[in-house]
Amino acid sequence: MALLQIAEPGQSAAPHQHKLAVGIDLGTTNSLVAAVRSGEASTLTDEQGQHSLPSVVHYGEKNVLVGDEAQALSAMDPSNTIVSVKRFMGRSLQDIQQRDGQLAYQFEASENGLPVFVTQQGKVNPVQVSAEILKPLIARAEKTLGGDLQGAVITVPAYFDDAQRQGTKDAAELIGVKVLRLLNEPTAAAIAYGLDSKQEGVIAIYDLGGGTFDISILRLNKGVFEVLATGGDSALGGDDFDRLLVEHFKNTWQLSQLTSSQARQLLIEARRVKEALTVSNEVTATVTFDNQLLECEVSQETFNTIIAPLVKKTISSCRRTLRDAKVSIDEVIETVMVGGSTRVPLVRSEVEHFFNKTPLTSIDPDRVVAIGAAIQADILVGNKPESDLLLLDVIPLSLGIETMGGLVEKVVTRNTTIPVAKAQEFTTFKDGQTAMAFHVVQGERELVDDCRSLARFTLQGIPALAAGAAHIRVTFQVDADGLLSVTAMEKSTEVKTSIQVKPSFGLSDDEIATMLKDSMKHAKDDITRRMLAEQKVEAARVIESLSAALQKDGDLLPDDERVALQDAIANLGITAQKDDVDAIEKAINDLDAQTQDFAAKRMDNSIKAALKGQSVDNI
Amino acid sequence: MNYFELFDLDPVFTVDTANLAERYRELQKAVHPDKFASQSEQQKLLSVQRTAQVNDGYQTLKNPLRRAEHMLSLRGIDLSHETTTVKDTTFLMQQMEWREMLDDISHSNAPQDKIDELYDSFASYEKSLFNLLAELLASEQEQDDKSAAEQVRKLKFMAKLQDELTRIEDDLLD
């Protein structure tokens, strides 16, 4: 039996309609899940009372293990135990091998150069590994909260590019979790912190995790969290401290040839030493290789010297991001520390020195992101209709297209508030030309080769006209999740041109469909049954939201249109009772198309209402 | 799209930025996709489009150069795709001088001082251009609009110089 839900007065008119939603921090080293219960957001524990789940997946001969059990096998069986998979998301195998050197895994490259881990359980890609980490978190949440989840907010580093974001979303969808929103980690931390302190003004969030670094500058004002600028490095984190420490051990002990198991042991010892140095001034590192005991003292000072260049890099990012945000150091009222790596004393002291104030660590830096995500999930799912909270996030890296000579023309510049839509016009250069190829990149550099390739697409069906006569307007739209979509239209004829987007470092629709089918096979689930269930839930959601909208704003429509909509709703209700997936999907789409006019009227109405309050205020 | 109408403001060059920011936040609360997370696909799509307009409108009205450009485009002078260049020789000479100074920064003994100096002279020059621009736009005469367009072109040159200076400063920091 589900536990009684207690709603705060005025927050929910119908407490029994409380919907279950969670926030998930899918971290490089550890992952967490949090939810709002009885008005309080907190992280959920497993049966042993643990909040964090190590982001480690072991592909054994017979089964897949995740978390502590997987971590225990890490040194013994490194090639089948995948750690820090987040660093592989949306990256090509070539990129990874250049950056990390030799890794303990057996790799293969997919058709478009993405890494595939060859394990005892077969070949798996980073999206599938991430999905394995999400599974126990979702199960934990459903068990603790006592019901099926309506959706989840999943956090990503602010500095993640389009491919890395899409990969994260794909991982959740692979296990049937509806992603309410991809939320930037520093923004999530700001919510948790801002709602807690009720402060207003400019704050800086310094987020140094296991594998990523983000710095975000936000302005908090009357429930609106406006990200002014964000910067960072999606491949810099505590893992890099470990790696430098491993190099130090190798030099000290004069080790050259290591087995992959020994290499993993060194990495585990490096992490232990790093963590111990957050509380001690000196730590002894020890490993036993070939029955020989190796020891060395690592002082706080030595460690600081080793990692100083990396910490300095993060401070440079802070300086640049402040400038992008157009605020001075004095305007920053608070610095919030997020991520386990901010426990490193040098990191704390450097941040304190730069911002000239003691950084805040009042909320556990490991849990603050998941907590913020849970608060956002609770609002998005509709549990707090009165909430003032609004997040205005930005795109972290500029979007551009390749032009002649391998140069980039920027279409959307970094730190532009999202959602954003920018149109660009192109013309044909040959008589009768009916197709045009585009290459979309993300990054700040002028040369295509220095930016990250996002996608290539071809416009087809351009009407055959004289050279230069066809004007094609291409619109690049980035949604609230930071994900890009592209549409195009020939202006004179208003012909919509079709677009086939081929992601450079992501999975194609076909690959995702195949993965979905595979995962069903393993789970002995029936794909049609799951699809039917999903469509029924979707139909119920559409009926509920549209009925509520009609009740509230029905008078915006002429009587006949309102009656027609009500009929269509009733019709969907009848169709949804039957077990025909295609019919339900069609009824949903039909109803959706029919609401176009109503949706526009409601939107205009709310815009008018929003400004009306303004005009009165300013008289 | 007329952004002054979207924000329900008079189409004048002088904008109260605090009031603009307040209107922006209120509009965002009305249209942002997060307010439509559980609504129909149509409503969500519309919300993303409207929010994108509100965002672009805010950036346009907030930034004086973009605001002037927007005002001129509403008056029938579109500067966004034009290839006309500035013909004012005094201005062009000044540009060349500044470009030489930019090139000299890397050889200087005190680069940060040079950078600060240039930021200051750019800022004061821009200020005088903006003052003139404000006057020209206020008159609403066709001839004045044309001169206003000329000031906008100059200010675009200045923006490019600024960007370059920032890039040089970035390279120094790394």
Side-chain angles (χ1 to χ4, degrees):
Chain A
M1 199 189 93
L3 290 171
L4 185 68
Q5 275 294 343
I6 301 166
E8 284 169 26
Q11 278 192 337
S12 168
H16 61 277
Q17 284 182 348
H18 183 94
K19 299 192 177 84
L20 302 180
V22 290
I24 294 175
D25 174 3
L26 188 58
T28 308
T29 324
N30 289 301
S31 296
L32 293 102
V33 58
V36 174
R37 286 176 290 174
S38 311
E40 281 288 322
S42 59
T43 45
L44 309 178
T45 56
D46 65 8
E47 279 155 6
Q48 282 77 46
Q50 297 289 327
H51 292 266
S52 334
L53 175 79
S55 305
V56 182
V57 181
H58 174 76
Y59 289 89
E61 244 173 272
K62 293 197 181 85
N63 55 358
V64 179
L65 296 174
V66 184
D68 287 315
E69 285 172 298
Q71 197 156 37
L73 297 167
S74 173
M76 220 170 66
D77 188 8
S79 68
N80 288 302
T81 314
I82 295 156
V83 298
S84 302
V85 69
K86 194 172 177 177
R87 291 172 71 99
F88 298 81
M89 198 67 113
R91 289 271 172 264
S92 72
L93 182 55
Q94 205 188 347
D95 268 6
I96 291 160
Q97 285 174 334
Q98 257 170 26
R99 184 189 67 200
D100 293 347
Q102 214 202 332
L103 287 154
Y105 312 111
Q106 214 189 315
F107 280 119
E108 262 182 30
S110 76
E111 219 173 280
N112 51 356
L114 293 173
V116 175
F117 303 94
V118 183
T119 73
Q120 293 178 95
Q121 292 262 325
K123 294 171 192 172
V124 290
N125 62 39
V127 170
Q128 288 165 310
V129 179
S130 304
E132 290 297 341
I133 300 168
L134 288 172
K135 268 188 210 166
L137 294 173
I138 295 293
R140 184 194 295 183
E142 292 189 332
K143 196 167 174 228
T144 315
L145 302 174
D148 287 345
L149 298 183
Q150 296 277 324
V153 168
I154 300 181
T155 60
V156 289
Y159 220 57
F160 254 23
D161 64 26
D162 189 85
Q164 293 167 307
R165 284 167 197 270
Q166 192 61 59
T168 308
K169 201 169 175 177
D170 291 342
E173 277 164 9
L174 191 57
I175 57 162
V177 172
K178 185 181 160 146
V179 179
L180 297 166
R181 182 86 130 73
L182 292 177
L183 181 60
N184 288 335
E185 285 158 13
T187 314
I191 299 176
Y193 163 77
L195 292 185
D196 199 48
S197 70
K198 300 205 165 56
Q199 286 230 47
E200 299 215 324
V202 177
I203 63 168
I205 313 275
Y206 180 101
D207 180 354
L208 189 61
T212 56
F213 167 66
D214 277 331
I215 170 75
S216 289
I217 312 293
L218 293 98
R219 188 188 301 281
L220 274 51
N221 187 326
K222 295 175 191 155
V224 179
F225 290 66
E226 187 182 357
V227 180
L228 301 175
T230 189
D233 191 332
S234 65
L236 169 67
D239 282 7
D240 298 291
F241 295 173
D242 302 344
R243 234 188 304 281
L244 290 179
L245 208 45
V246 166
E247 287 309 311
H248 175 73
F249 294 157
K250 277 163 119 177
N251 288 336
T252 313
W253 293 324
Q254 297 186 340
L255 303 168
S256 50
Q257 290 291 326
L258 290 176
T259 65
S260 55
S261 166
Q262 286 173 331
R264 188 63 67 89
Q265 277 181 64
L266 279 186
L267 199 61
I268 292 169
E269 181 61 5
R271 184 166 295 174
R272 187 192 68 80
V273 168
K274 173 186 75 177
E275 286 169 5
L277 280 170
T278 61
V279 286
S280 319
N281 280 323
E282 196 163 72
V283 173
T284 312
T286 60
V287 283
T288 311
F289 284 172
D290 308 321
N291 293 323
Q292 197 188 341
L293 180 72
L294 301 170
E295 279 187 321
C296 86
E297 294 295 316
V298 184
S299 69
Q300 182 89 242
E301 215 181 334
T302 313
F303 181 62
N304 287 354
T305 315
I306 291 172
I307 64 166
L310 294 182
V311 180
K312 202 174 151 223
K313 225 170 141 186
T314 70
I315 299 295
S316 285
S317 276
C318 292
R319 190 178 295 122
R320 192 168 307 166
T321 308
L322 270 179
R323 200 187 50 218
D324 286 347
K326 299 191 175 67
V327 296
S328 67
I329 288 178
D330 306 333
E331 281 175 81
V332 179
I333 56 166
E334 217 75 81
T335 343
V336 181
M337 300 294 255
V338 184
S341 304
T342 59
R343 291 206 170 82
V344 172
L346 183 70
V347 171
R348 283 201 186 181
S349 62
E350 289 295 304
V351 172
E352 176 164 353
H353 178 72
F354 177 74
F355 284 101
N356 199 18
K357 53 186 69 73
T358 313
L360 270 184
T361 48
S362 54
I363 306 179
D364 185 336
D366 289 328
R367 294 189 209 165
V368 62
V369 166
I371 288 174
I375 296 170
Q376 170 78 340
D378 191 46
I379 293 170
L380 287 182
V381 86
N383 286 337
K384 280 192 178 175
E386 308 303 319
S387 169
D388 253 357
L389 180 82
L390 188 63
L391 302 181
L392 306 178
D393 232 313
V394 298
I395 182 166
L397 299 156
S398 301
L399 279 178
I401 38 176
E402 178 171 351
T403 60
M404 295 289 202
L407 294 173
V408 181
E409 182 173 339
K410 281 185 187 164
V411 181
V412 180
T413 50
R414 70 175 161 169
N415 290 324
T416 300
T417 310
I418 50 174
V420 58
K422 282 276 157 77
Q424 200 94 340
E425 266 175 42
F426 300 92
T427 185
T428 48
F429 70 102
K430 266 190 194 159
D431 286 343
Q433 186 180 343
T434 57
M436 213 181 258
F438 290 87
H439 182 201
V440 187
V441 297
Q442 196 159 22
E444 309 313 315
R445 307 283 293 275
E446 282 168 40
L447 293 176
V448 166
D449 290 345
D450 296 330
C451 291
R452 282 191 47 78
S453 170
L454 275 192
R456 288 175 191 277
F457 65 90
T458 323
L459 289 185
Q460 274 160 346
I462 299 170
L465 298 168
H471 287 273
I472 297 105
R473 193 180 166 82
V474 182
T475 307
F476 298 82
Q477 183 176 282
V478 180
D479 66 13
D481 290 336
L483 294 173
L484 172 73
S485 62
V486 189
T487 51
M489 182 191 272
E490 201 287 309
K491 275 178 75 184
S492 62
T493 54
E494 299 210 344
V495 171
K496 281 218 172 173
T497 47
S498 63
I499 298 179
Q500 292 156 324
V501 178
K502 190 178 171 293
S504 308
F505 294 106
L507 301 164
S508 66
D509 288 349
D510 288 348
E511 283 172 296
I512 291 169
T514 312
M515 275 160 52
L516 201 57
K517 279 195 196 119
D518 286 352
S519 72
M520 297 293 173
K521 241 181 278 164
H522 288 303
K524 293 193 186 97
D525 203 340
D526 177 4
I527 190 159
T528 47
R529 205 172 59 207
R530 175 166 142 191
M531 276 168 67
L532 180 63
E534 280 179 7
Q535 285 302 330
K536 285 191 172 190
V537 170
E538 184 63 12
R541 195 183 61 76
V542 170
I543 292 171
E544 190 195 319
S545 75
L546 197 54
S547 304
L550 269 179
Q551 200 169 10
K552 190 163 166 266
D553 294 322
D555 52 357
L556 293 173
L557 287 177
D559 287 347
D560 55 332
E561 283 180 34
R562 194 174 59 236
V563 172
L565 265 188
Q566 275 159 346
D567 287 349
I569 293 173
N571 195 24
L572 175 59
I574 294 164
T575 312
Q577 306 256 314
K578 296 173 200 150
D579 289 346
D580 184 343
V581 182
D582 295 338
I584 301 176
E585 199 177 348
K586 187 175 176 300
I588 292 173
N589 290 338
D590 287 352
L591 181 57
D592 211 36
Q594 230 176 314
T595 61
Q596 202 167 350
D597 185 41
F598 182 45
K601 280 185 174 149
R602 292 188 72 208
M603 192 66 78
D604 289 337
N605 199 43
S606 59
I607 288 177
K608 245 183 261 161
L611 290 177
K612 208 170 179 182
Q614 271 305 302
S615 314
V616 174
D617 283 353
N618 291 307
I619 285 171
Chain B
M1 168 124 228
N2 183 333
Y3 288 138
F4 289 99
E5 277 176 15
L6 179 65
F7 280 73
D8 195 18
L9 290 167
D10 291 334
V12 291
F13 186 65
T14 319
V15 164
D16 174 353
T17 47
N19 179 11
L20 178 70
E22 188 62 28
R23 278 164 193 259
Y24 170 63
R25 278 190 288 270
E26 289 307 318
L27 280 176
Q28 280 283 9
K29 282 181 185 173
V31 300
H32 197 275
D34 284 357
K35 301 287 175 190
F36 299 91
S38 54
Q39 307 256 340
S40 72
E41 291 304 315
Q42 285 289 347
Q43 199 86 53
K44 279 191 221 170
L45 192 67
L46 198 63
S47 148
V48 171
Q49 289 166 351
R50 285 296 159 85
T51 314
Q53 282 175 347
V54 168
N55 279 329
D56 194 48
Y58 180 54
Q59 293 308 325
T60 303
L61 296 182
K62 196 170 73 167
N63 177 317
L65 181 53
R66 289 184 62 183
R67 190 193 313 142
E69 237 186 298
H70 184 57
M71 284 178 77
L72 287 170
S73 90
L74 292 175
R75 294 179 192 181
I77 302 178
D78 186 10
L79 294 168
S80 53
H81 299 295
E82 69 162 19
T83 44
T84 322
T85 50
V86 177
K87 290 184 189 71
D88 181 340
T89 38
T90 336
F91 177 78
L92 292 175
M93 292 299 284
Q94 175 70 73
Q95 287 284 312
M96 277 165 65
E97 200 178 305
W98 273 330
R99 291 212 167 264
E100 276 170 26
M101 287 170 80
L102 284 179
D103 291 340
D104 289 343
I105 292 175
S106 54
H107 312 297
S108 160
N109 294 329
Q112 192 60 49
D113 293 349
K114 290 266 178 224
I115 288 170
D116 291 344
E117 200 181 303
L118 274 172
Y119 269 126
D120 288 345
S121 49
F122 288 174
S124 75
Y125 194 84
E126 275 185 340
K127 202 178 168 207
S128 64
L129 286 177
F130 272 122
N131 286 342
L132 181 56
L133 181 61
E135 272 175 46
L136 291 166
L137 283 170
S139 91
E140 294 191 45
Q141 299 292 315
E142 206 185 318
Q143 198 48 47
D144 286 342
D145 282 350
K146 280 190 184 142
S147 326
E150 186 71 2
Q151 306 314 313
V152 169
R153 288 185 197 109
K154 288 183 187 171
L155 281 160
K156 282 186 172 177
F157 263 99
M158 296 305 296
K160 273 194 201 132
L161 271 183
Q162 286 267 17
D163 284 351
E164 237 154 277
L165 184 57
T166 311
R167 202 170 320 143
I168 291 169
E169 196 181 10
D170 266 357
D171 291 346
L172 272 179
L173 288 174
D174 289 334

